[in-house]
Amino acid sequence: MLIYKIDVIKELKDVGMNTTVAKKTGIFGQETMKKFRNGDTSISLDNLNRLCCILEMQPRDIIKYVETDTDRENLISKFSASKTGRRKKK
């Protein structure tokens, strides 16, 4: 699961970006700003790129991966199972 390492809304406010400015300039849409407010990391790579540009940060400064039980059960276990089914090349 991805989570924000920073308070995106606060950081945007610190550089002069609020919902009105975001909408007026077209940099971020209302839904994206709502996601930032709610801590929802399901944003597009384009919006992550814009966020990095505006805040002068790298993606690793903004988001991080935290493993959850769901990740372990639904993703990691499937990947591990697929690896054991492969034959080794000689």
Coordinates of all heavy atoms in Angstrom, one line a residue:
M1 N 0.8 -1.2 0.0 CA 0.0 0.0 0.0 C 0.9 1.2 0.0 O 1.9 1.3 0.7 CB -0.9 0.0 1.3 CG -1.7 1.2 1.4 SD -2.9 1.1 2.7 CE -2.0 1.8 4.1
L2 N 0.5 2.2 -0.8 CA 1.3 3.5 -0.8 C 0.6 4.5 0.1 O -0.6 4.5 0.2 CB 1.3 4.0 -2.2 CG 2.0 3.2 -3.3 CD1 1.8 3.9 -4.7 CD2 3.5 3.1 -3.0
I3 N 1.5 5.2 0.8 CA 1.0 6.2 1.7 C 1.8 7.5 1.5 O 2.9 7.4 1.0 CB 1.0 5.8 3.2 CG1 2.4 5.6 3.7 CG2 0.1 4.7 3.5 CD1 2.6 5.4 5.2
Y4 N 1.2 8.6 1.8 CA 2.0 9.9 1.7 C 2.9 10.0 2.9 O 2.5 9.8 4.1 CB 1.0 11.1 1.7 CG 0.3 11.2 0.4 CD1 -1.1 11.0 0.3 CD2 0.9 11.5 -0.8 CE1 -1.8 11.1 -0.9 CE2 0.2 11.6 -2.0 CZ -1.1 11.4 -2.0 OH -1.8 11.5 -3.2
K5 N 4.1 10.5 2.7 CA 5.1 10.8 3.7 C 4.9 12.2 4.2 O 5.5 12.5 5.3 CB 6.5 10.5 3.2 CG 6.8 9.1 2.9 CD 8.1 9.0 2.1 CE 9.3 9.3 3.0 NZ 10.6 8.9 2.3
I6 N 4.2 13.0 3.5 CA 4.1 14.4 3.8 C 2.6 14.8 3.8 O 1.7 14.0 3.3 CB 4.8 15.3 2.7 CG1 4.2 15.1 1.3 CG2 6.3 15.1 2.8 CD1 4.6 16.1 0.3
D7 N 2.3 15.9 4.4 CA 0.9 16.5 4.3 C 0.9 17.3 3.0 O 1.4 18.4 2.9 CB 0.6 17.4 5.5 CG -0.8 17.9 5.5 OD1 -1.4 18.1 4.4 OD2 -1.2 18.3 6.6
V8 N 0.4 16.7 1.9 CA 0.4 17.3 0.6 C -0.3 18.6 0.6 O 0.3 19.6 0.0 CB -0.2 16.3 -0.5 CG1 -0.3 17.0 -1.8 CG2 0.5 15.0 -0.5
I9 N -1.4 18.7 1.2 CA -2.2 20.0 1.2 C -1.3 21.1 1.9 O -1.3 22.2 1.4 CB -3.6 19.8 1.8 CG1 -4.4 18.9 1.0 CG2 -4.2 21.2 2.0 CD1 -4.8 19.5 -0.4
K10 N -0.7 20.8 3.0 CA 0.1 21.8 3.7 C 1.3 22.2 2.8 O 1.6 23.4 2.7 CB 0.6 21.2 5.0 CG 1.5 22.2 5.8 CD 2.2 21.5 7.0 CE 3.2 22.3 7.6 NZ 4.2 22.9 6.8
E11 N 1.9 21.2 2.2 CA 3.1 21.5 1.4 C 2.7 22.4 0.2 O 3.4 23.3 -0.2 CB 3.8 20.2 0.9 CG 4.4 19.4 2.0 CD 5.6 20.1 2.7 OE1 6.3 20.9 2.1 OE2 5.8 19.8 3.9
L12 N 1.6 22.1 -0.4 CA 1.1 22.9 -1.5 C 0.8 24.3 -1.0 O 1.1 25.3 -1.7 CB -0.1 22.2 -2.2 CG 0.1 21.0 -3.0 CD1 -1.2 20.3 -3.4 CD2 1.0 21.3 -4.2
K13 N 0.1 24.4 0.1 CA -0.2 25.7 0.7 C 1.1 26.5 0.9 O 1.1 27.7 0.6 CB -1.0 25.6 2.0 CG -1.5 26.8 2.6 CD -2.3 26.6 3.8 CE -2.7 27.9 4.4 NZ -3.4 27.8 5.7
D14 N 2.1 25.9 1.4 CA 3.4 26.6 1.7 C 4.0 27.2 0.4 O 4.8 28.1 0.5 CB 4.4 25.6 2.3 CG 4.0 25.3 3.8 OD1 3.1 25.9 4.3 OD2 4.6 24.3 4.3
V15 N 3.7 26.6 -0.8 CA 4.2 27.2 -2.0 C 3.2 28.0 -2.7 O 3.4 28.4 -3.9 CB 4.8 26.1 -2.9 CG1 6.0 25.4 -2.3 CG2 3.8 25.1 -3.4
G16 N 2.1 28.3 -2.1 CA 1.1 29.2 -2.6 C 0.0 28.5 -3.5 O -0.7 29.2 -4.2
M17 N -0.1 27.2 -3.4 CA -1.1 26.5 -4.1 C -2.3 26.0 -3.2 O -2.0 25.2 -2.3 CB -0.5 25.2 -4.8 CG -1.4 24.3 -5.5 SD -1.9 24.8 -7.1 CE -0.4 24.9 -8.0
N18 N -3.5 26.5 -3.5 CA -4.7 26.0 -2.8 C -5.6 25.5 -3.9 O -5.3 25.5 -5.1 CB -5.3 27.1 -1.9 CG -5.7 28.3 -2.7 OD1 -6.0 28.3 -3.9 ND2 -5.7 29.5 -2.1
T19 N -6.8 25.1 -3.5 CA -7.8 24.5 -4.4 C -8.2 25.5 -5.5 O -8.3 25.2 -6.6 CB -9.0 24.1 -3.6 OG1 -8.6 23.1 -2.6 CG2 -10.0 23.4 -4.5
T20 N -8.3 26.8 -5.1 CA -8.7 27.8 -6.1 C -7.6 28.0 -7.1 O -7.9 28.0 -8.3 CB -9.0 29.1 -5.4 OG1 -10.0 28.9 -4.4 CG2 -9.4 30.2 -6.4
V21 N -6.4 28.1 -6.7 CA -5.2 28.3 -7.6 C -5.1 27.0 -8.5 O -4.9 27.1 -9.7 CB -3.9 28.6 -6.9 CG1 -2.7 28.6 -7.8 CG2 -4.1 29.9 -6.1
A22 N -5.2 25.9 -7.9 CA -5.1 24.6 -8.6 C -6.1 24.5 -9.7 O -5.8 24.2 -10.9 CB -5.2 23.4 -7.7
K23 N -7.4 24.9 -9.4 CA -8.4 24.9 -10.4 C -8.3 25.9 -11.5 O -8.4 25.7 -12.7 CB -9.8 25.0 -9.7 CG -11.0 24.9 -10.6 CD -12.3 25.1 -9.8 CE -13.5 25.0 -10.8 NZ -14.7 25.2 -10.1
K24 N -7.9 27.1 -11.0 CA -7.8 28.3 -12.0 C -6.6 28.0 -13.0 O -6.7 28.3 -14.1 CB -7.5 29.6 -11.2 CG -7.4 30.8 -12.0 CD -7.3 32.0 -11.1 CE -7.2 33.3 -11.9 NZ -7.0 34.5 -11.0
T25 N -5.5 27.5 -12.5 CA -4.4 27.2 -13.4 C -4.5 25.9 -14.1 O -3.8 25.7 -15.1 CB -3.1 27.1 -12.6 OG1 -3.2 26.1 -11.6 CG2 -2.8 28.5 -11.9
G26 N -5.4 25.0 -13.7 CA -5.5 23.7 -14.3 C -4.4 22.7 -14.0 O -4.3 21.7 -14.6
I27 N -3.6 23.0 -13.0 CA -2.6 22.2 -12.6 C -3.1 20.9 -11.9 O -2.6 19.8 -12.3 CB -1.5 22.9 -11.7 CG1 -0.9 24.0 -12.5 CG2 -0.5 21.9 -11.1 CD1 0.1 24.9 -11.7
F28 N -4.0 21.0 -11.0 CA -4.7 19.9 -10.4 C -6.2 20.1 -10.4 O -6.7 21.2 -10.2 CB -4.3 19.7 -8.9 CG -2.8 19.4 -8.7 CD1 -2.0 20.3 -8.0 CD2 -2.3 18.2 -9.2 CE1 -0.7 20.0 -7.8 CE2 -0.9 17.9 -9.0 CZ -0.1 18.8 -8.3
G29 N -6.9 19.0 -10.7 CA -8.4 19.1 -10.7 C -8.9 19.0 -9.3 O -8.2 18.6 -8.4
Q30 N -10.2 19.2 -9.2 CA -10.9 19.2 -7.9 C -10.8 17.8 -7.3 O -10.5 17.6 -6.1 CB -12.3 19.6 -8.1 CG -13.1 19.7 -6.8 CD -14.5 20.2 -7.0 OE1 -14.9 20.7 -8.1 NE2 -15.3 20.1 -6.0
E31 N -10.9 16.8 -8.1 CA -10.9 15.4 -7.6 C -9.5 15.0 -7.1 O -9.3 14.4 -6.0 CB -11.3 14.4 -8.7 CG -12.8 14.3 -8.9 CD -13.5 13.9 -7.6 OE1 -13.1 12.9 -6.9 OE2 -14.5 14.5 -7.2
T32 N -8.5 15.5 -7.8 CA -7.1 15.3 -7.3 C -6.8 16.0 -6.0 O -6.2 15.4 -5.1 CB -6.1 15.7 -8.4 OG1 -6.3 15.0 -9.6 CG2 -4.6 15.4 -7.9
M33 N -7.3 17.2 -5.9 CA -7.1 17.9 -4.6 C -7.8 17.2 -3.5 O -7.3 17.2 -2.4 CB -7.6 19.4 -4.8 CG -6.7 20.2 -5.7 SD -5.0 20.4 -5.2 CE -5.2 21.5 -3.8
K34 N -9.0 16.7 -3.8 CA -9.8 16.0 -2.8 C -9.0 14.7 -2.3 O -8.9 14.4 -1.2 CB -11.1 15.6 -3.4 CG -12.0 14.9 -2.4 CD -13.4 14.6 -3.0 CE -14.3 13.8 -2.1 NZ -15.6 13.5 -2.7
K35 N -8.4 14.0 -3.3 CA -7.6 12.9 -3.0 C -6.4 13.3 -2.1 O -6.1 12.6 -1.1 CB -7.0 12.2 -4.2 CG -8.1 11.4 -5.0 CD -7.5 10.7 -6.2 CE -8.6 9.9 -6.9 NZ -8.1 9.2 -8.1
F36 N -5.7 14.4 -2.4 CA -4.6 14.9 -1.5 C -5.2 15.1 -0.1 O -4.5 14.7 0.9 CB -4.0 16.1 -2.1 CG -3.3 16.0 -3.4 CD1 -3.2 17.1 -4.2 CD2 -2.7 14.8 -3.7 CE1 -2.5 17.0 -5.4 CE2 -2.0 14.7 -4.9 CZ -1.9 15.8 -5.8
R37 N -6.3 15.8 0.0 CA -6.9 16.1 1.3 C -7.2 14.8 2.1 O -7.0 14.7 3.3 CB -8.2 16.9 1.2 CG -8.0 18.4 1.4 CD -9.3 19.1 1.5 NE -10.3 18.9 0.4 CZ -10.2 19.4 -0.8 NH1 -9.1 20.2 -1.1 NH2 -11.1 19.2 -1.7
N38 N -7.7 13.8 1.4 CA -8.1 12.5 2.1 C -7.0 11.5 2.2 O -7.2 10.4 2.7 CB -9.3 11.9 1.3 CG -10.5 12.8 1.4 OD1 -10.7 13.5 2.3 ND2 -11.4 12.7 0.4
G39 N -5.8 11.8 1.8 CA -4.7 10.9 1.9 C -4.8 9.7 0.9 O -4.1 8.7 1.1
D40 N -5.5 9.9 -0.2 CA -5.7 8.9 -1.2 C -4.6 9.0 -2.2 O -4.4 10.0 -2.9 CB -7.1 9.1 -1.9 CG -7.4 8.1 -3.0 OD1 -6.5 7.3 -3.3 OD2 -8.6 8.1 -3.4
T41 N -3.8 7.9 -2.3 CA -2.6 7.9 -3.1 C -2.9 7.4 -4.5 O -2.0 7.2 -5.3 CB -1.5 7.1 -2.5 OG1 -2.0 5.8 -2.3 CG2 -0.9 7.7 -1.3
S42 N -4.2 7.1 -4.9 CA -4.5 6.6 -6.2 C -4.6 7.7 -7.2 O -5.6 8.0 -7.8 CB -5.8 5.8 -6.2 OG -6.9 6.6 -5.8
I43 N -3.4 8.4 -7.4 CA -3.4 9.5 -8.4 C -2.6 9.0 -9.6 O -1.9 8.0 -9.5 CB -2.7 10.8 -7.8 CG1 -1.3 10.5 -7.3 CG2 -3.5 11.3 -6.6 CD1 -0.5 11.7 -6.9
S44 N -2.7 9.7 -10.7 CA -2.0 9.3 -11.9 C -0.5 9.7 -11.8 O -0.1 10.5 -11.0 CB -2.6 10.0 -13.1 OG -2.3 11.4 -13.0
L45 N 0.3 9.0 -12.6 CA 1.7 9.4 -12.6 C 1.9 10.8 -13.1 O 2.8 11.5 -12.7 CB 2.5 8.4 -13.5 CG 2.7 7.0 -13.0 CD1 3.4 6.1 -14.0 CD2 3.4 7.0 -11.6
D46 N 1.0 11.3 -14.0 CA 1.1 12.7 -14.4 C 0.9 13.6 -13.2 O 1.6 14.6 -13.1 CB 0.0 12.9 -15.5 CG 0.1 14.3 -16.0 OD1 1.2 14.8 -16.5 OD2 -1.0 15.0 -16.0
N47 N -0.1 13.3 -12.4 CA -0.3 14.2 -11.2 C 0.8 14.1 -10.2 O 1.2 15.1 -9.6 CB -1.6 13.9 -10.5 CG -2.8 14.5 -11.2 OD1 -2.7 15.6 -11.7 ND2 -3.9 13.8 -11.3
L48 N 1.4 12.9 -10.1 CA 2.6 12.7 -9.2 C 3.8 13.6 -9.8 O 4.5 14.3 -9.1 CB 3.0 11.3 -9.1 CG 4.3 11.0 -8.2 CD1 4.1 11.5 -6.8 CD2 4.6 9.5 -8.2
N49 N 3.9 13.6 -11.1 CA 4.9 14.4 -11.8 C 4.7 15.9 -11.5 O 5.6 16.6 -11.2 CB 4.9 14.1 -13.3 CG 6.0 14.9 -14.0 OD1 7.2 14.6 -13.8 ND2 5.6 15.8 -14.8
R50 N 3.5 16.3 -11.6 CA 3.1 17.7 -11.4 C 3.4 18.1 -9.9 O 4.0 19.1 -9.6 CB 1.7 18.0 -11.7 CG 1.3 17.9 -13.1 CD -0.2 18.0 -13.3 NE -0.5 17.7 -14.7 CZ -1.6 18.2 -15.3 NH1 -2.4 19.0 -14.7 NH2 -1.8 17.9 -16.6
L51 N 3.1 17.2 -9.0 CA 3.3 17.4 -7.6 C 4.8 17.5 -7.3 O 5.3 18.4 -6.6 CB 2.7 16.2 -6.8 CG 2.6 16.4 -5.3 CD1 1.8 17.6 -4.9 CD2 2.0 15.1 -4.7
C52 N 5.6 16.6 -7.9 CA 7.1 16.7 -7.7 C 7.6 18.0 -8.3 O 8.5 18.7 -7.6 CB 7.7 15.6 -8.5 SG 7.5 13.9 -7.7
C53 N 7.1 18.5 -9.4 CA 7.5 19.7 -10.0 C 7.2 20.9 -9.1 O 8.1 21.7 -8.8 CB 6.9 19.9 -11.4 SG 7.4 21.4 -12.2
I54 N 6.0 21.0 -8.7 CA 5.5 22.1 -7.9 C 6.2 22.2 -6.5 O 6.6 23.2 -6.1 CB 4.0 22.0 -7.6 CG1 3.2 22.2 -8.9 CG2 3.5 23.1 -6.6 CD1 3.3 23.5 -9.6
L55 N 6.4 21.0 -5.9 CA 7.0 21.0 -4.6 C 8.6 20.8 -4.6 O 9.2 20.9 -3.6 CB 6.5 19.8 -3.8 CG 5.0 19.9 -3.5 CD1 4.5 18.6 -2.7 CD2 4.6 21.2 -2.7
E56 N 9.1 20.7 -5.8 CA 10.5 20.4 -6.0 C 11.0 19.3 -5.1 O 12.0 19.4 -4.4 CB 11.3 21.7 -5.7 CG 11.0 22.8 -6.7 CD 11.8 24.1 -6.4 OE1 12.5 24.2 -5.4 OE2 11.6 25.1 -7.2
M57 N 10.3 18.1 -5.3 CA 10.7 16.9 -4.5 C 10.7 15.8 -5.5 O 10.2 15.8 -6.6 CB 9.6 16.6 -3.5 CG 9.5 17.6 -2.4 SD 8.2 17.1 -1.2 CE 8.4 18.3 0.1
Q58 N 11.3 14.7 -5.0 CA 11.3 13.4 -5.7 C 10.1 12.6 -5.2 O 9.7 12.7 -4.1 CB 12.6 12.7 -5.5 CG 13.8 13.3 -6.0 CD 13.8 13.4 -7.5 OE1 13.5 12.4 -8.2 NE2 14.1 14.6 -8.1
P59 N 9.7 11.6 -6.0 CA 8.6 10.7 -5.6 C 8.8 10.1 -4.2 O 7.9 10.0 -3.4 CB 8.4 9.7 -6.7 CG 8.9 10.4 -7.9 CD 10.0 11.3 -7.4
R60 N 10.1 9.7 -4.0 CA 10.4 9.0 -2.7 C 10.2 10.0 -1.5 O 10.2 9.6 -0.4 CB 11.8 8.5 -2.7 CG 12.9 9.5 -2.7 CD 14.3 8.9 -2.7 NE 15.3 9.9 -3.0 CZ 15.7 10.1 -4.2 NH1 15.3 9.4 -5.2 NH2 16.6 11.1 -4.4
D61 N 10.2 11.3 -1.8 CA 10.0 12.3 -0.7 C 8.5 12.5 -0.4 O 8.2 13.0 0.7 CB 10.5 13.7 -1.1 CG 12.0 13.7 -1.5 OD1 12.8 12.9 -0.8 OD2 12.4 14.4 -2.4
I62 N 7.7 12.0 -1.3 CA 6.2 12.2 -1.2 C 5.5 11.0 -0.8 O 4.6 11.1 0.1 CB 5.7 12.8 -2.5 CG1 6.4 14.1 -2.9 CG2 4.2 12.9 -2.5 CD1 6.1 14.6 -4.3
I63 N 5.8 9.8 -1.3 CA 5.1 8.6 -1.0 C 6.1 7.5 -0.6 O 7.3 7.5 -0.9 CB 4.3 8.1 -2.2 CG1 5.2 7.9 -3.5 CG2 3.1 9.0 -2.5 CD1 4.5 7.3 -4.7
K64 N 5.5 6.5 0.1 CA 6.3 5.3 0.4 C 5.4 4.1 0.4 O 4.2 4.2 0.6 CB 7.0 5.5 1.8 CG 6.1 5.4 3.0 CD 6.9 5.5 4.3 CE 6.0 5.5 5.5 NZ 6.8 5.5 6.7
Y65 N 6.0 3.0 0.3 CA 5.3 1.7 0.3 C 5.4 1.1 1.7 O 6.4 1.0 2.3 CB 5.9 0.7 -0.7 CG 5.4 -0.7 -0.6 CD1 4.1 -1.0 -1.1 CD2 6.1 -1.7 0.0 CE1 3.6 -2.3 -0.9 CE2 5.6 -3.0 0.1 CZ 4.3 -3.2 -0.3 OH 3.8 -4.5 -0.2
V66 N 4.2 0.7 2.2 CA 4.1 0.0 3.5 C 3.4 -1.3 3.2 O 2.2 -1.3 2.7 CB 3.3 0.8 4.5 CG1 3.1 0.0 5.8 CG2 4.0 2.2 4.7
E67 N 4.0 -2.4 3.5 CA 3.4 -3.8 3.2 C 2.2 -4.0 4.2 O 2.3 -3.7 5.4 CB 4.4 -4.9 3.4 CG 3.9 -6.2 3.0 CD 5.0 -7.3 3.1 OE1 6.0 -7.2 2.5 OE2 4.8 -8.2 3.9
T68 N 1.2 -4.5 3.6 CA 0.0 -4.8 4.4 C -0.3 -6.3 4.3 O 0.2 -7.0 3.4 CB -1.3 -4.0 3.9 OG1 -1.6 -4.5 2.6 CG2 -1.0 -2.6 4.0
D69 N -1.2 -6.8 5.2 CA -1.6 -8.2 5.1 C -2.2 -8.5 3.7 O -2.0 -9.6 3.1 CB -2.6 -8.6 6.2 CG -2.0 -8.6 7.6 OD1 -0.7 -8.7 7.6 OD2 -2.7 -8.4 8.6
T70 N -3.0 -7.6 3.2 CA -3.6 -7.7 1.9 C -2.6 -7.9 0.8 O -2.7 -8.7 -0.1 CB -4.6 -6.6 1.6 OG1 -5.5 -6.5 2.6 CG2 -5.3 -6.7 0.3
D71 N -1.6 -7.0 0.9 CA -0.5 -7.2 -0.1 C 0.2 -8.5 0.0 O 0.4 -9.2 -1.0 CB 0.6 -6.1 0.1 CG 0.2 -4.7 -0.1 OD1 -0.8 -4.5 -0.8 OD2 0.8 -3.8 0.4
R72 N 0.4 -9.0 1.2 CA 1.1 -10.2 1.4 C 0.3 -11.4 0.8 O 0.8 -12.3 0.2 CB 1.4 -10.4 2.9 CG 2.6 -11.3 3.2 CD 2.9 -11.3 4.7 NE 3.3 -10.0 5.2 CZ 2.5 -9.3 6.0 NH1 1.4 -9.7 6.5 NH2 2.9 -8.1 6.5
E73 N -1.0 -11.4 1.2 CA -1.9 -12.4 0.7 C -2.2 -12.4 -0.7 O -2.2 -13.5 -1.4 CB -3.2 -12.4 1.5 CG -3.1 -12.6 3.0 CD -4.3 -12.3 3.8 OE1 -5.4 -11.9 3.2 OE2 -4.2 -12.3 5.0
N74 N -2.5 -11.3 -1.3 CA -3.0 -11.2 -2.7 C -1.9 -11.0 -3.7 O -2.1 -11.4 -4.9 CB -4.0 -10.0 -2.8 CG -5.3 -10.3 -2.0 OD1 -5.6 -11.4 -1.7 ND2 -5.9 -9.2 -1.6
L75 N -0.8 -10.4 -3.4 CA 0.2 -10.2 -4.4 C 1.5 -11.0 -4.2 O 1.9 -11.7 -5.1 CB 0.6 -8.7 -4.4 CG -0.6 -7.7 -4.6 CD1 -0.2 -6.3 -4.4 CD2 -1.2 -7.9 -6.0
I76 N 2.0 -10.9 -3.0 CA 3.3 -11.5 -2.8 C 3.2 -13.1 -2.9 O 4.0 -13.7 -3.5 CB 3.9 -11.1 -1.5 CG1 4.2 -9.6 -1.5 CG2 5.2 -11.9 -1.1 CD1 4.6 -8.9 -0.2
S77 N 2.1 -13.6 -2.3 CA 1.9 -15.1 -2.3 C 1.7 -15.6 -3.8 O 2.2 -16.6 -4.1 CB 0.8 -15.5 -1.4 OG -0.5 -14.9 -1.9
K78 N 1.0 -14.8 -4.6 CA 0.8 -15.2 -6.0 C 2.1 -15.2 -6.7 O 2.4 -16.1 -7.5 CB -0.2 -14.3 -6.7 CG -1.6 -14.5 -6.2 CD -2.6 -13.6 -6.9 CE -4.0 -13.7 -6.4 NZ -4.9 -12.8 -7.1
F79 N 2.9 -14.1 -6.5 CA 4.2 -14.0 -7.2 C 5.1 -15.2 -6.8 O 5.8 -15.8 -7.6 CB 4.8 -12.7 -6.9 CG 6.2 -12.5 -7.5 CD1 6.3 -12.4 -8.9 CD2 7.3 -12.4 -6.7 CE1 7.6 -12.3 -9.5 CE2 8.6 -12.3 -7.3 CZ 8.7 -12.2 -8.7
S80 N 5.2 -15.4 -5.5 CA 6.0 -16.5 -5.0 C 5.6 -17.9 -5.6 O 6.4 -18.7 -5.9 CB 6.0 -16.6 -3.5 OG 6.5 -15.4 -2.9
A81 N 4.3 -18.1 -5.6 CA 3.8 -19.3 -6.2 C 4.1 -19.5 -7.7 O 4.4 -20.6 -8.1 CB 2.2 -19.4 -6.0
S82 N 4.1 -18.4 -8.4 CA 4.4 -18.4 -9.8 C 5.9 -18.7 -10.0 O 6.3 -19.4 -11.0 CB 4.1 -17.1 -10.5 OG 5.0 -16.1 -10.2
K83 N 6.8 -18.3 -9.1 CA 8.2 -18.6 -9.3 C 8.5 -20.0 -9.0 O 9.4 -20.6 -9.6 CB 9.0 -17.7 -8.3 CG 9.0 -16.3 -8.7 CD 9.9 -15.4 -7.9 CE 10.5 -15.8 -6.6 NZ 11.3 -14.9 -5.9
T84 N 7.8 -20.7 -8.1 CA 8.1 -22.1 -7.8 C 7.6 -23.0 -8.9 O 8.1 -24.1 -9.0 CB 7.4 -22.5 -6.5 OG1 6.0 -22.3 -6.6 CG2 7.9 -21.7 -5.3
G85 N 6.7 -22.5 -9.8 CA 6.2 -23.3 -10.9 C 7.1 -23.3 -12.1 O 6.9 -24.0 -13.0
R86 N 8.1 -22.4 -12.1 CA 9.0 -22.3 -13.2 C 10.1 -23.4 -13.2 O 10.5 -23.8 -12.1 CB 9.7 -21.0 -13.3 CG 8.8 -19.9 -13.5 CD 9.6 -18.6 -13.6 NE 8.7 -17.4 -13.7 CZ 9.2 -16.2 -13.5 NH1 10.4 -16.0 -13.3 NH2 8.3 -15.2 -13.6
R87 N 10.6 -23.8 -14.3 CA 11.7 -24.7 -14.4 C 13.0 -23.9 -14.5 O 13.0 -22.9 -15.1 CB 11.6 -25.7 -15.6 CG 10.5 -26.7 -15.4 CD 10.6 -27.8 -16.4 NE 10.3 -27.2 -17.7 CZ 10.4 -27.8 -18.9 NH1 10.8 -29.1 -18.9 NH2 10.1 -27.3 -20.0
K88 N 14.0 -24.4 -13.9 CA 15.3 -23.7 -13.9 C 16.0 -24.0 -15.2 O 15.9 -25.1 -15.7 CB 16.2 -24.1 -12.8 CG 15.7 -23.7 -11.4 CD 16.6 -24.1 -10.3 CE 16.1 -23.7 -9.0 NZ 17.0 -24.1 -7.9
K89 N 16.6 -23.0 -15.8 CA 17.4 -23.2 -17.1 C 18.7 -23.7 -16.7 O 19.3 -23.3 -15.7 CB 17.5 -21.8 -17.8 CG 16.2 -21.3 -18.3 CD 16.4 -20.0 -19.1 CE 15.1 -19.5 -19.6 NZ 15.3 -18.3 -20.4
K90 N 19.2 -24.5 -17.6 CA 20.6 -25.1 -17.4 C 21.6 -24.4 -18.3 O 21.3 -23.9 -19.3 CB 20.6 -26.6 -17.8 CG 19.8 -27.4 -16.8 CD 19.9 -28.8 -17.1 CE 19.1 -29.6 -16.1 NZ 19.2 -31.0 -16.3

